[in-house]
Amino acid sequence: MTHKSFSAAFAAVVALMLSAMSAQAQTVDETVNRVFADSTGWFVNFIFASIPGTSIAWIVVWLVVAATVFTIYFGFIQFRVVGHSLALVSGKYSDPNDAGEVSHFQALATALSGTVGLGNIAGVAVAVSIGGAGATFWMILAGLLGMASKFTECTLGVKYRNEYPDGRVSGGPMYYLTKGFAERGLPGGKFLAVLFSIFCVLGALGGGNMFQANQAHQQLSGVFGEYPGWITGVVFAVVVFAVIVGGIKSIARVTEKVVPFMGVLYVGTALVIILMNFDMVGAAFGQIFNGAFTGNGIVGGMIGALIQGFRRAAFSNEAGVGSAAIAHSAVRTKEPITEGFVSLLEPFIDTVVICTMTALVIIISGQLLTDPETGLYIINEAGQVTTATGATGVGLTSAAFESAFSWFPYLLVIAVVLFAFSTMLSWSYYGLKAWTYMFGEGQTQELTFKVIFCIFIVIGAAASLGPVIDFSDAAIFAMAVVNIAGLYFLMPIVKRELDSYLSRLKSGEIKRFK
């Protein structure tokens, strides 16, 4: 089938689907909600269940404990190799003849585009509105620890990837679970790989796709007025399909431009506000440190701040989930450890830099109300910190920025759309590699998944499928359960790679190309 005829077929499928959606849309929406809630509610409840006697979700503890173990095991690697990591990203050690499809920078941008998104805008607002300013401190700490998780999984992703004669590569947890377990003589690798792939496909279609389209449409309709969601969906689907049909090289070419642009756009605005209120920055950090250990009157005190900070960091940077290892596996290198070094920059950029700047703007703009006599937060009926405008989530972030720039809601629309678009690009690749792992490599299998992915964009923008989104979010964190379980068994292999590389780098055997 030619590319032209396939595009026509794709357009026909979308048109047919839209005509079906227009009839009885509300009834279908309600039916899907009910069926999904009844059949998958137990799974969602299990993944996000709290540890008995606490309000701490066990999946957050699973991620944070793993990040702490990897940090200690690899000798605080995230603080030792930052300089070399930046040199790798800049291409100083890149051999153009190495196997792979994208550069270190492109791999970093692709993976970042999958994590930098609504979690940085809305997630931070949720954290500070529930956990107060102190949640920011714990969010930063969780981000720093998560750098070690990214380092571990992305090193393995490159080491055990499949390299094909035409230059394409496939990698990620499904490959290192299979090959790594076999290399160590351990059983169950294949089972874990298939389980991970199933969760990855479900997560890609939902949290990495439908949720992004849904939130982008809500932001657009909130600023420009209500209009049918399928219009947003079709536009996104057409643009996303045009990019992903070209594979990882096409995705990387787009993300290496979009990610820096949206990062500069959002962080630049935040930086201007912070500089305009530079005299308040010290006090803001004072609130962050004080609130981290006292809770400053929030529900749950210090523990409440800690829980919210760790939870939002885990949801934001996805360290330990295994998704980023899929993107990083496509890098051009013969040294797996180098991509581990590059990938550890992600949680730092995503959580330590971008999330912290969002939190600072919210605090500096006076959105979190305190009692002038006691200095404690004013807590509302929902158990959250009362905000100046009553807004929460993305609305709170928008209000904070709008207090300095009246035009910011329009800029936020651009940011949300770009974040949603780039996230969908990355997750289309993650889902595709999990799909081809299960159903085999080939153009037919790839095109099938890409069409399915784009159809789900339209569904996500047009419907309000709450339980479907809840299930897909749970699937993403179920990936972390499988992935981290495997990483514990495979981390000695990463240690061996690390020691070998550092000794060769020190002796001068590892050469610079620029």
Side-chain angles (χ1 to χ4, degrees):
M1 183 182 289
T2 65
H3 178 69
K4 189 173 182 180
S5 62
F6 183 81
S7 298
F10 173 67
V13 170
V14 171
L16 182 65
M17 182 191 64
L18 291 177
S19 65
M21 284 172 55
S22 62
Q24 308 274 322
Q26 190 61 38
T27 304
V28 171
D29 198 15
E30 291 173 355
T31 301
V32 172
N33 268 323
R34 186 175 65 254
V35 171
F36 244 83
D38 291 344
S39 59
T40 65
W42 65 271
F43 176 72
V44 177
N45 292 336
F46 168 70
I47 292 296
F48 296 118
S50 297
I51 296 172
T54 74
S55 56
I56 307 175
W58 72 269
I59 188 65
V60 175
V61 175
W62 179 253
L63 289 163
V64 173
V65 168
T68 305
V69 169
F70 299 140
T71 295
I72 295 170
Y73 185 78
F74 293 112
F76 295 85
I77 188 66
Q78 60 266 61
F79 305 112
R80 292 196 287 136
V81 297
V82 173
H84 189 61
S85 297
L86 294 173
L88 288 165
V89 172
S90 68
K92 292 178 180 177
Y93 289 86
S94 298
D95 185 345
N97 297 316
D98 284 343
E101 299 184 76
V102 297
S103 68
H104 285 296
F105 179 76
Q106 288 176 323
L108 178 65
T110 301
L112 268 175
S113 69
T115 58
V116 176
L118 293 171
N120 305 82
I121 300 174
V124 176
V126 170
V128 296
S129 63
I130 299 176
T136 310
F137 175 87
W138 299 110
M139 193 163 51
I140 293 170
L141 179 60
L144 292 172
L145 292 173
M147 293 167 73
S149 298
K150 279 282 176 83
F151 162 77
T152 308
E153 62 193 2
C154 291
T155 297
L156 290 168
V158 177
K159 180 171 178 60
Y160 292 108
R161 66 187 180 181
N162 280 1
E163 298 175 4
Y164 303 106
D166 62 0
R168 292 182 303 111
V169 298
S170 289
M174 47 280 192
Y175 292 93
Y176 61 67
L177 288 170
T178 305
K179 295 180 180 180
F181 270 52
E183 183 178 304
R184 297 204 66 196
L186 300 171
K190 183 73 173 179
F191 170 76
L192 290 176
V194 171
L195 193 61
F196 176 90
S197 297
I198 292 170
F199 290 141
C200 186
V201 168
L202 293 173
L205 293 176
N209 183 355
M210 294 171 68
F211 175 73
Q212 305 300 324
N214 187 278
Q215 293 298 295
H217 173 68
Q218 285 190 27
Q219 188 68 19
L220 286 166
S221 60
V223 172
F224 299 112
E226 291 294 330
Y227 65 93
W230 64 262
I231 296 176
T232 300
V234 169
V235 173
F236 263 113
V238 170
V239 177
V240 168
F241 184 78
V243 176
I244 67 176
V245 75
I248 184 61
K249 290 183 180 179
S250 177
I251 294 171
R253 281 195 297 271
V254 173
T255 55
E256 75 171 339
K257 296 177 178 65
V258 171
V259 171
F261 174 74
M262 69 186 188
V264 170
L265 187 73
Y266 185 75
V267 173
T269 308
L271 192 58
V272 169
I273 295 174
I274 292 169
L275 291 175
M276 286 170 58
N277 300 275
F278 188 73
D279 57 322
M280 300 172 66
V281 173
F285 274 111
Q287 287 186 51
I288 290 172
F289 285 109
N290 180 57
F293 299 101
T294 66
N296 204 27
I298 63 163
V299 176
M302 171 187 164
I303 299 300
L306 183 150
I307 292 169
Q308 288 304 317
F310 278 1
R311 180 170 184 172
R312 295 328 307 180
F315 279 53
S316 176
N317 62 49
E318 296 173 15
V321 170
S323 52
I326 301 174
H328 284 281
S329 297
V331 73
R332 280 191 298 270
T333 186
K334 60 177 176 293
E335 298 285 354
I337 209 74
T338 59
E339 202 53 26
F341 290 159
V342 170
S343 68
L344 60 76
L345 296 172
E346 284 168 35
F348 183 83
I349 296 169
D350 177 277
T351 305
V352 179
V353 176
I354 300 179
C355 287
T356 301
M357 296 192 83
T358 300
L360 279 174
V361 172
I362 292 173
I363 296 166
I364 287 172
S365 61
Q367 296 298 310
L368 307 178
L369 300 184
T370 57
D371 187 320
E373 293 185 6
T374 64
L376 301 179
Y377 290 118
I378 300 173
I379 307 299
N380 60 26
E381 294 178 357
Q384 298 182 6
V385 179
T386 303
T387 60
T389 61
T392 58
V394 70
L396 175 56
T397 304
S398 183
F401 279 80
E402 191 178 359
S403 66
F405 301 115
S406 60
W407 44 260
F408 184 78
Y410 297 98
L411 181 64
L412 191 62
V413 169
I414 298 173
V416 168
V417 168
L418 287 176
F419 283 151
F421 173 60
S422 63
T423 299
M424 284 189 279
L425 290 183
S426 293
W427 275 95
S428 71
Y429 183 70
Y430 301 159
L432 173 65
K433 288 304 174 183
W435 181 274
T436 55
Y437 177 81
M438 292 187 290
F439 299 107
E441 300 280 347
Q443 196 171 46
T444 302
Q445 293 92 322
E446 291 190 8
L447 287 175
T448 299
F449 177 80
K450 289 171 183 175
V451 170
I452 292 171
F453 188 87
C454 290
I455 289 173
F456 271 79
I457 293 175
V458 183
I459 296 173
S464 54
L465 306 176
V468 176
I469 302 300
D470 290 342
F471 174 76
S472 61
D473 279 349
I476 289 175
F477 286 94
M479 290 163 59
V481 177
V482 179
N483 182 51
I484 288 174
L487 293 181
Y488 283 134
F489 289 102
L490 300 178
M491 61 185 188
I493 295 173
V494 179
K495 187 71 160 59
R496 190 170 65 237
E497 291 281 335
L498 174 63
D499 292 342
S500 170
Y501 182 85
L502 290 179
S503 65
R504 286 181 288 128
L505 181 66
K506 187 176 181 179
S507 69
E509 186 179 338
I510 303 293
K511 302 292 185 183
R512 288 178 56 148
F513 284 84
K514 289 184 182 179

